[in-house]
Amino acid sequence: MKNILLSVTGCFLLFLSSNINAQLLSNGNITSGLADTNYFMDASNFEGLANKSYGRGLGFPRTDLTSFVFNKATASDEVVVSDFDGMVVYNSATGNTTAGQGVTTAVVPGFYYFSNPGNPGNITNGKWIAIGGNSGGSSDKINITSNETATHTLINNAQVYAVKGTFAASGTSTNVDIPSPAGMKGMYGITIYKAGSNTVYSRDLYSYTLGTANGNAVTGSQSMSVVYPAGTYDYVLEYLK
């Protein structure tokens, strides 16, 4: 009961501070007339305004999901009962979400919701998911660079990462250098190609040894090793940590 009273008091103080500091504004009076309905909020009455540009938008504060940190102290029965599942933000940054704030995820500017069903009291397995068409019309678009990038793929809830690199082939040896990124525990896939040539050489290796030793990768397929012509090759390595 004490916690409930504190919560009610806190909400009242928040309401006062919102009005005093003008942090929350409305385009008219707010009334409580939706009891026993499916709505928690409704603004459809604005359709009756003569100016059809008024009362149509919902303003979101910009959120940088690459540095955003949940205040997990509010995740209780009296304050946030959803464990942030379904929370919506407008993200203004490009990069990866903050480590320890659910599954690390690549994000671009746009709307995201936090998916965290069935995880009472924690956010470990929660993930920010793009709403609609972020970044040029595709919410599935990520930019893989020489820096570690979290992809949109999970395997048994384990995040798949990707990194872009190059290696030099001697033309006489099948051994090439494809160093393992820090923390890599297993390869998920690899694509070897030459940028600008429209040529994909392989989506496989004959063998791969975790680590950063010279010649840790052997070019070819699972059945045989192959000597690549001398030159520089591009690759995208997908992996688990």
Side-chain angles (χ1 to χ4, degrees), residues 168-216:
S170 65
T172 58
S173 173
T174 58
N175 290 89
V176 296
D177 302 339
I178 302 179
S180 303
M184 176 178 172
K185 293 183 178 179
M187 181 188 296
Y188 176 67
I190 190 168
T191 301
I192 300 171
Y193 65 102
K194 272 202 170 184
S197 68
N198 296 322
T199 300
V200 174
Y201 283 85
S202 179
R203 297 187 185 275
D204 204 355
L205 288 171
Y206 178 70
S207 67
Y208 184 76
T209 302
L210 290 175
T212 57
N214 292 338
N216 67 318

Side-chain angles (χ1 to χ4, degrees), residues 41-120:
M41 185 180 295
D42 174 49
S44 59
N45 284 335
F46 281 107
E47 292 179 8
L49 293 179
N51 189 321
K52 300 304 180 182
S53 295
Y54 287 174
R56 295 302 191 269
L58 180 62
F60 277 75
R62 294 181 179 88
T63 303
D64 182 348
L65 284 181
T66 66
S67 62
F68 178 83
V69 176
F70 285 100
N71 177 8
K72 291 179 283 189
T74 62
S76 67
D77 291 340
E78 288 87 18
V79 184
V80 179
V81 298
S82 66
D83 300 299
F84 304 105
D85 184 38
M87 176 179 173
V88 177
V89 301
Y90 178 76
N91 172 57
S92 59
T94 298
N96 292 330
T97 55
T98 310
Q101 303 302 303
V103 177
T104 302
T105 305
V107 294
V108 295
F111 282 100
Y112 284 79
Y113 76 92
F114 193 67
S115 177
N116 191 40
N119 292 304

